[in-house]
Amino acid sequence: MAVWIQAQQLQGDALHQMQSLYGQHFPIEVRHYLSHWIESQLWDAIDLENPQEEFKAKRLLDSLIQELQNKAEHQVGEDGFLLKIKLGHYANQLKSTYDRCPLELVRCIKHILYTEQRLVREATNSSSPVGGMLDSMSQKYQQINQAFEELRLLTQDTENDLRKLQHNQEYFIIQYQESLRIQAQLSSLAALPPADRQLREPTLLSKRATVEAWLTREANTLQKYRLDLAEKHQKTLQLLRKQQTIILDDELIQWKRRQQLAGNGGPPEGGLDILQSWCEKLAETIWQNRQQIRRAEHLRQQLPIPGPIEELLNELNSTITDIISALVTSTFIIEKQPPQVLKTQTKFAATVRLLVGGKLNVHMNPPQVKATIISEQQAKALLKNENTRNDSSGEILNNNCVMEYHQTTGTLSAHFRNMSLKRIKRSDRRGAESVTEEKFTILFESQFSVGKCFLDDTVTLTFELHTLSLPVVVIVHGSQDNNATATVLWDNAFAEPGRVPFLVPDKVLWPQLCDAINMKYKAEVQSNRGLSEENLVFLAQKAFSSSSNNPDDYRSMTMTWSQFNRESLPGRNFTFWQWFDGVMELTKKHLKPHWNDGAILGFVNKQQAQDMLMSKPNGTFLLRFSDSEIGGITIAWVAENPNKAGERMVWNLMPYTTKDFSIRSLADRISDLNHLLFLYPDKPKDEVFSKYYTPPLSKAVDGYVKPQIKQVVPDFATANPDPTSGNPTYMDQGASPAPVNHHHPYNMYQNIADPILDAEGEFDLDDTMDVARHVEELLRRPVESQWGGQQS
């Protein structure tokens, strides 16, 4: 309720803006009486672009109506009677309005809450002590708002001058008509007798001279008024250009950059409401000035006076048209990007929005938007204004959508909900480039006209709009996802604003790459625990085949794209990214709670693990990611050397993978191994892992005993297993002493020939059936032979 309490204290324009949020679509009384309930709901948890979320929205609508009805029932007294009737009416009204479109209710309330928070924040900042330091964002917003106020005053000033000019010109025309009347009278004197003519002519000549002198003087005055007005319009347009540059080239570009980094797991790019309000103010101011310039042109045509004004007005017209065209074309943006790794024959969505659509009344004749997939070369040609209208690199189903106007939020957008890439046409690749390095983009195009009547003249502006999505990589099989993600990660992280599509540096500084992969890791694992400096040193050692433990040694080093995901690591058949992605996938699917608890050191090599454990008591263990296998984690522990009495050594268990954890969890496996006592450095294992253990099986029922899977390491198996555990099926897990290093031939990524894909990375159905039959045959084999075949 805190926001509503503060919102009620708003004053002036802020209070007016807050009040304008409410109306029949959502009465302010509902906001007031249900303020606590409204602010306690998880409105942001509902994805407005996902139709499947409609049932959540419907549940919130039903709860809102129930809350209103409950509030109404508890009203007592004379005033309570009237409020009871009013709240009951609002409950019926909201049900009638939103029952068929509950997502619109969520959209409406999210818009209200966001705007209230912004107004409260701005009011709090503006009322703070003068000596207080405003943060940079608040200062920037303040500067933008001050510029809008200056533009408003300038526009009001030119409006007043224009009215004055019109009034003076109308009076001039009247006097001009008077001079014509006098001239006509003088001309008629020729028909009079000379005596009468001499009597009347001097008076008329005097009048004519006076009027003509006034007309000459006033014509110069009118010309000066026109020139002064044109100069004021020039000043206004200069400020408009500057303000538009700040909003479009700074703020909107920054929003797009945040959107791009969000694709790598960065924080959300934020809403568009503030940007839209600025763009709408720009549109409104530009349109007002355009009308004024058109009216000034009409006045000039009514009363042509020789001078430079015609050229000035033409220049102003051209400038204002350029400004509004730049605004409209720049504010046609992609609010929700399509997936950047795009699989053929798979449904995907995107949302396109026109930030100034409401102000231009575009929704009165809603335009259609078309989506097309084009290649990198086609995108370059498009930005050079070369004709590529009939070119595409594939076929997208359901690629046309009409823009919809949402009255409650004032947004004009097109929601593509069911697009699907039917086919893709690839270009010839260069050198070592693979299909997962080829970039495409979704082109969204639209066209609409805006008409406005100026006096007797109708002027129509036609806009052809297009916008490009972030680069997408098209795959045809899930095995290509890993390498495609690498291409997208590199592009999102290191693309420069305003680049030629889709140029990225071939090499980057190691700290820059660390920021990118740390951002991705935290997002994928959904953890606040990112990569520590020690973790990053380990990764640098792996990436550069280095033994240095000093982080400073890597700060000026660069990593190329080839080192990142084209060349295999020394002695391995996978790349640096493929190994790192395997770690992310394993942690995300099976190890997240243990990573968050700090139970997994992870980024430690075999020698480091040995050095750390040899100073600890027997039974101390740690968890580290496998060096030799993608997506593997191993347990290293210190114990007695069975071959030499009194000597200790470090043992390493064969790496676990996703396949292993789909059978038995890490915590349960650690629980099974009685020789593991302390998690490094000295925590009892049950203290760390017991909360994740699977509860024991129930007692035998009806004479049947349930079997259970339990893990043992033969050389460390307990001599007398627990007799109460039934008849367990044991999984033997090989262990090796520290000096032994087994290399694993597994590689589930693209650089090994995949029998399921042909040379172009396309899906081969016949080969797939062969693989399926082979898997079916394996599944028929006894369980023991499968487990016995594991490698260390």
Side-chain angles (χ1 to χ4, degrees):
M1 199 161 77
V3 176
W4 181 240
I5 291 174
Q6 295 177 77
Q8 293 175 74
Q9 298 169 5
L10 294 171
Q11 297 178 356
D13 183 55
L15 179 61
H16 177 72
Q17 288 184 53
M18 187 271 285
Q19 291 172 335
S20 68
L21 295 170
Y22 300 97
Q24 289 187 346
H25 61 280
F26 197 80
I28 196 169
E29 292 88 345
V30 176
R31 175 70 174 101
H32 180 74
Y33 287 105
L34 297 186
S35 55
H36 179 73
W37 183 87
I38 289 171
E39 292 181 32
S40 65
Q41 304 308 304
L42 300 177
W43 304 102
D44 285 334
I46 296 180
D47 181 2
L48 295 173
E49 312 310 328
N50 185 357
Q52 296 179 354
E53 298 273 76
E54 192 165 302
F55 78 97
K56 294 182 183 177
K58 182 65 164 63
R59 200 160 57 220
L60 278 170
L61 171 62
D62 292 342
S63 299
L64 173 65
I65 292 169
Q66 186 63 51
E67 288 289 327
L68 266 179
Q69 291 171 341
N70 292 342
K71 196 77 175 177
E73 289 173 4
H74 288 84
Q75 301 304 314
V76 294
E78 184 177 345
D79 293 337
F81 174 74
L82 295 175
L83 184 58
K84 179 176 183 178
I85 294 175
K86 183 177 282 190
L87 293 179
H89 168 71
Y90 289 149
N92 294 332
Q93 177 182 317
L94 290 172
K95 182 173 178 62
S96 172
T97 303
Y98 296 111
D99 200 41
R100 293 186 178 181
C101 52
L103 285 171
E104 285 304 306
L105 171 72
V106 178
R107 190 189 302 275
C108 170
I109 294 180
K110 285 173 73 172
H111 173 68
I112 287 172
L113 293 176
Y114 179 85
T115 307
E116 285 179 353
Q117 290 167 0
R118 175 175 63 81
L119 291 171
V120 167
R121 185 169 61 248
E122 290 174 354
T124 303
N125 286 336
S126 63
S127 62
S128 60
V130 176
M133 293 297 291
L134 298 174
D135 58 48
S136 59
M137 184 173 291
S138 297
Q139 288 179 345
K140 188 183 300 181
Y141 287 4
Q142 193 175 36
Q143 290 169 359
I144 290 173
N145 289 333
Q146 286 174 349
F148 273 124
E149 178 62 17
E150 186 177 351
L151 280 167
R152 187 188 68 79
L153 293 174
L154 285 172
T155 304
Q156 184 62 51
D157 187 34
T158 49
E159 178 66 26
N160 294 336
D161 285 356
L162 186 60
R163 289 175 181 172
K164 182 179 178 181
L165 173 62
Q166 183 174 351
H167 173 77
N168 288 354
Q169 181 167 312
E170 288 171 352
Y171 187 69
F172 180 92
I173 292 172
I174 291 171
Q175 293 301 311
Y176 182 73
Q177 293 297 326
E178 176 65 15
S179 78
L180 293 178
R181 187 180 66 80
I182 294 171
Q183 184 60 44
Q185 287 178 344
L186 282 169
S187 299
S188 68
L189 291 179
L192 295 177
D196 291 342
R197 186 168 63 245
Q198 288 177 0
L199 181 65
R200 299 180 59 183
E201 189 174 41
T203 304
L204 290 174
L205 288 172
S206 176
K207 279 186 178 181
R208 186 178 70 174
T210 302
V211 171
E212 285 182 350
W214 184 90
L215 288 174
T216 302
R217 187 173 62 252
E218 191 62 19
N220 291 329
T221 302
L222 286 175
Q223 184 75 306
K224 185 177 184 305
Y225 281 171
R226 289 176 177 181
L227 291 172
D228 289 345
L229 181 61
E231 288 176 2
K232 286 186 177 182
H233 274 130
Q234 285 179 327
K235 182 180 178 182
T236 303
L237 297 192
Q238 286 175 356
L239 185 56
L240 263 174
R241 275 194 186 277
K242 182 180 177 182
Q243 181 81 327
Q244 185 158 297
T245 298
I246 291 171
I247 292 171
L248 299 184
D249 294 353
D250 293 345
E251 298 301 313
L252 185 56
I253 292 297
Q254 287 179 24
W255 181 88
K256 289 181 178 180
R257 178 60 181 154
R258 291 194 299 270
Q259 186 185 56
Q260 192 172 26
L261 289 176
N264 276 4
E269 61 270 30
L272 286 164
D273 286 357
I274 291 178
L275 273 169
Q276 175 163 319
S277 70
W278 289 340
C279 292
E280 287 180 338
K281 282 183 180 179
L282 279 173
E284 193 170 15
T285 307
I286 292 168
W287 206 257
Q288 287 171 350
N289 279 273
R290 188 172 187 273
Q291 284 180 295
Q292 290 179 4
I293 294 168
R294 294 291 300 172
R295 283 160 56 198
E297 171 67 19
H298 187 80
L299 290 175
R300 188 200 66 79
Q301 291 172 356
Q302 276 187 330
L303 182 62
I305 301 175
I309 191 64
E310 182 176 0
E311 185 178 342
L312 280 173
L313 287 173
N314 289 337
E315 183 181 330
L316 288 172
N317 256 318
S318 176
T319 301
I320 198 87
T321 301
D322 288 344
I323 291 175
I324 196 169
S325 295
L327 176 65
V328 175
T329 54
S330 298
T331 54
F332 183 61
I333 62 171
I334 302 173
E335 182 176 11
K336 180 181 178 183
Q337 291 281 342
Q340 288 187 262
V341 177
L342 192 57
K343 190 171 181 291
T344 54
Q345 312 294 336
T346 303
K347 189 173 77 170
F348 68 96
T351 300
V352 180
R353 182 165 163 182
L354 181 60
L355 298 180
V356 294
K359 283 295 176 185
L360 298 181
N361 291 327
V362 177
H363 55 282
M364 300 301 289
N365 185 20
Q368 189 173 76
V369 184
K370 179 182 178 183
T372 312
I373 188 164
I374 62 174
S375 68
E376 184 173 342
Q377 291 301 321
Q378 289 165 340
K380 288 178 185 177
L382 180 70
L383 295 187
K384 291 179 183 178
N385 293 320
E386 297 176 7
N387 185 17
T388 59
R389 184 164 301 280
N390 297 321
D391 294 340
S392 69
S393 290
E395 182 182 352
I396 299 178
L397 303 179
N398 303 317
N399 67 329
N400 286 284
C401 185
V402 175
M403 300 196 89
E404 301 173 1
Y405 184 69
H406 304 279
Q407 188 72 41
T408 53
T409 58
T411 59
L412 182 72
S413 52
H415 304 282
F416 293 85
R417 295 185 175 89
N418 295 295
M419 287 192 289
S420 176
L421 182 58
K422 183 178 180 181
R423 61 177 183 83
I424 190 67
K425 181 172 65 177
R426 299 190 184 275
S427 60
D428 295 332
R429 292 182 293 280
R430 303 178 294 273
E433 188 180 86
S434 68
V435 293
T436 55
E437 293 180 39
E438 186 177 5
K439 299 173 191 174
F440 298 88
T441 181
I442 308 296
L443 166 66
F444 295 93
E445 297 176 283
S446 186
Q447 179 178 324
F448 64 88
S449 297
V450 177
K452 193 75 178 177
C453 183
F454 299 97
L455 304 176
D456 297 326
D457 181 28
T458 300
V459 179
T460 301
L461 290 178
T462 300
F463 298 101
E464 292 189 1
L465 309 179
H466 69 261
T467 186
L468 296 175
S469 75
L470 293 172
V472 299
V473 177
V474 177
I475 64 174
V476 297
H477 190 270
S479 63
Q480 298 172 307
D481 183 80
N482 169 274
N483 293 316
T485 301
T487 301
V488 167
L489 175 85
W490 190 278
D491 192 280
N492 286 344
F494 309 123
E496 294 289 336
R499 63 173 171 172
V500 175
F502 291 108
L503 293 181
V504 285
D506 183 60
K507 62 181 179 181
V508 296
L509 287 170
W510 173 250
Q512 290 179 289
L513 185 63
C514 289
D515 290 342
I517 60 177
N518 184 40
M519 179 187 291
K520 185 70 173 176
Y521 187 86
K522 289 168 69 175
E524 287 294 313
V525 179
Q526 296 180 336
S527 171
N528 291 325
R529 181 192 169 197
L531 301 175
S532 66
E533 188 169 89
E534 291 78 11
N535 298 156
L536 295 173
V537 166
F538 169 87
L539 292 173
Q541 291 171 339
K542 179 177 286 291
F544 300 114
S545 300
S546 170
S547 59
S548 172
N549 290 318
N550 186 358
D552 293 334
D553 291 344
Y554 303 105
R555 298 198 194 284
S556 60
M557 295 184 71
T558 59
M559 190 170 194
T560 66
W561 166 253
S562 291
Q563 289 173 302
F564 183 67
N565 196 46
R566 192 177 280 173
E567 301 168 359
S568 294
L569 291 169
R572 305 289 185 227
N573 56 5
F574 46 78
T575 67
F576 172 84
W577 165 256
Q578 288 168 350
W579 180 88
F580 182 78
D581 185 65
V583 165
M584 281 198 305
E585 282 294 303
L586 182 71
T587 307
K588 176 174 70 174
K589 291 179 179 177
H590 301 287
L591 308 177
K592 180 165 67 174
H594 308 304
W595 173 262
N596 288 338
D597 290 348
I600 297 174
L601 290 179
F603 300 97
V604 178
N605 63 40
K606 187 174 286 190
Q607 184 59 51
Q608 289 172 329
Q610 181 170 342
D611 296 341
M612 294 163 69
L613 290 171
M614 285 301 290
S615 62
K616 300 298 178 183
N618 286 349
T620 303
F621 68 98
L622 59 79
L623 298 159
R624 66 177 187 86
F625 297 122
S626 171
D627 273 325
S628 57
E629 184 164 344
I630 292 177
I633 190 169
T634 187
I635 301 175
W637 74 97
V638 62
E640 296 294 332
N641 186 343
N643 299 322
K644 289 187 179 180
E647 182 177 302
R648 301 193 315 150
M649 64 185 300
V650 172
W651 297 77
N652 291 276
L653 205 58
M654 184 187 73
Y656 299 122
T657 63
T658 290
K659 179 179 68 176
D660 300 310
F661 292 133
S662 64
I663 298 170
R664 191 156 175 79
S665 71
L666 174 66
D668 287 341
R669 290 172 182 275
I670 289 173
S671 175
D672 291 342
L673 302 177
N674 294 330
H675 60 279
L676 303 182
L677 305 176
F678 305 101
L679 178 67
Y680 182 89
D682 55 9
K683 288 186 178 179
K685 73 174 182 181
D686 287 345
E687 181 182 311
V688 180
F689 295 100
S690 60
K691 57 185 173 183
Y692 303 112
Y693 293 163
T694 301
L697 296 174
S698 58
K699 299 289 184 179
V701 179
D702 296 332
Y704 289 100
V705 177
K706 293 182 179 179
Q708 68 177 2
I709 295 176
K710 203 174 179 85
Q711 175 184 250
V712 296
V713 177
D715 291 341
F716 293 85
T718 305
N720 298 309
D722 184 359
T724 64
S725 62
N727 297 316
T729 301
Y730 288 104
M731 299 188 304
D732 292 344
Q733 191 80 3
S736 64
V740 180
N741 183 17
H742 294 287
H743 289 240
H744 299 282
Y746 308 139
N747 182 16
M748 55 192 192
Y749 298 107
Q750 188 64 28
N751 57 344
I752 281 188
D754 190 339
I756 298 177
L757 302 179
D758 61 20
E760 294 299 315
E762 305 295 341
F763 197 73
D764 190 315
L765 183 61
D766 294 336
D767 287 346
T768 306
M769 295 303 293
D770 291 339
V771 172
R773 285 191 289 271
H774 179 63
V775 171
E776 185 179 5
E777 181 184 341
L778 284 174
L779 293 174
R780 291 198 189 100
R781 296 180 183 176
V783 174
E784 293 81 359
S785 65
Q786 292 186 48
W787 293 117
Q790 290 191 21
Q791 301 183 33
S792 61

